[in-house]
Amino acid sequence: MGAGSPGQRQAPPVKPSSLLSLAIGLALAFVCATAGRSRQQPAASAAFPLSQGTYWLYDGLVRWRVPGATEHAEKEVHWRMEVRQVIRRNAIVGAVVRGYLYDLNGAQGDVKPADRLIVQSGENKYYLIPAFAYEKAVARLDDPRDSLADLVADDELILDLPLAPLKKFCGLEGMARTDGFYCWVVGESTPAALSDVKGAPAGAYTAYPIQFVTVPDATSIQFVPGLGILSYTYRNHDTEANTEMSLVEFHRGGR
């Protein structure tokens, strides 16, 4: 039938003012939805704040087995993790971090924080360089002639953004496993409890539990995009070493 044929009702003309109101409403809805998502998980480049001068303060306990004793020894620990230097090479950023929480694994009594290198490759992936390769990796980042090929390896991956429940990331061998061992595995997210963390950013944030389990030990962290590591736990079943740390203070650096 042609326009205006019997049995076919024509829609009333739409007023320009109605179209304008509809467009404004849709735009506002999009902005609100986007803002809500950004509070939950910031852009990957800002999710792990590694600017120079950023530091985190943790309180907790380390426990270890004393040979011949019936009880474990334990010690309260007040720990500082700090970004000491940032080296930028195009899409690669190297952050020299003193006191990464791994230093406390298997600690007995006093432990001194060491310098470690975290490498951010692109927007999403963060790698922790092994301690034995630290000096060589920093020298390579400082050398503009170095192409930085093979600077990091898949099994050094400690964070792959964005995070989501059941996501896992690790080296090729771990990814091929079906039991979840030797791979970082993300659990169900929860609202981050930041009320007791001095200097924590305002707003609603989400905490993601991430666990790395092997035959002898297990490492668990709570990671909050925009803040970093909220809590850290390490347990070794063979040596009965146990580390439990919680974030109490956060300060973001300026560079």
Side-chain angles (χ1 to χ4, degrees):
M1 297 182 183
S5 298
Q8 189 176 45
R9 298 180 59 186
Q10 290 185 333
V14 179
K15 297 181 180 180
S17 58
S18 299
L19 290 174
L20 179 60
S21 299
L22 177 61
I24 292 174
L26 290 174
L28 287 174
F30 175 79
V31 169
C32 292
T34 304
R37 289 196 299 271
S38 66
R39 286 198 300 270
Q40 295 300 317
Q41 184 152 289
S45 59
F48 198 174
L50 294 176
S51 55
Q52 186 169 328
T54 296
Y55 66 89
W56 301 258
L57 300 181
Y58 296 88
D59 284 348
L61 289 172
V62 294
R63 300 182 182 89
W64 65 96
R65 183 177 59 191
V66 178
T70 58
E71 296 182 354
H72 288 73
E74 68 176 38
K75 183 177 181 179
E76 291 186 2
V77 176
H78 308 286
W79 192 255
R80 181 186 180 104
M81 185 170 76
E82 179 179 5
V83 181
R84 307 270 294 175
Q85 181 185 6
V86 175
I87 308 169
R88 302 181 185 277
R89 290 281 306 279
N90 299 322
I92 294 179
V93 178
V96 175
V97 177
R98 176 165 295 178
Y100 194 75
L101 291 160
Y102 278 15
D103 290 347
L104 293 168
N105 291 358
Q108 298 183 12
D110 293 328
V111 57
K112 293 182 179 180
D115 286 343
R116 291 176 177 261
L117 181 67
I118 296 177
V119 174
Q120 178 187 353
S121 179
E123 289 287 324
N124 300 321
K125 298 182 183 294
Y126 295 79
Y127 302 81
L128 182 67
I129 302 300
F132 68 84
Y134 163 76
E135 292 185 359
K136 181 179 180 180
V138 171
R140 291 187 63 186
L141 282 169
D142 277 332
D143 185 356
R145 299 167 297 178
D146 195 318
S147 67
L148 302 181
D150 301 323
L151 177 67
V152 297
D154 287 341
D155 58 3
E156 297 162 0
L157 187 63
I158 58 170
L159 193 60
D160 187 5
L161 302 172
L163 298 174
L166 301 182
K167 180 176 182 177
K168 70 177 188 176
F169 45 92
C170 54
L172 293 177
E173 292 185 6
M175 291 296 289
R177 297 178 68 107
T178 59
D179 57 8
F181 274 42
Y182 296 90
C183 214
W184 289 104
V185 180
V186 184
E188 291 293 333
S189 61
T190 59
L194 304 181
S195 59
D196 293 333
V197 179
K198 182 179 178 180
Y205 286 80
T206 301
Y208 294 85
I210 314 175
Q211 189 172 53
F212 192 99
V213 178
T214 72
V215 172
D217 60 13
T219 302
S220 302
I221 69 173
Q222 270 194 315
F223 187 84
V224 178
L227 177 72
I229 299 173
L230 181 61
S231 66
Y232 178 86
T233 301
Y234 172 79
R235 290 185 174 87
N236 189 298
H237 312 303
D238 293 339
T239 65
E240 299 181 22
N242 187 350
T243 299
E244 297 178 359
M245 305 298 296
S246 297
L247 183 67
V248 295
E249 192 168 336
F250 170 72
H251 292 267
R252 186 186 297 273
R255 292 181 293 167

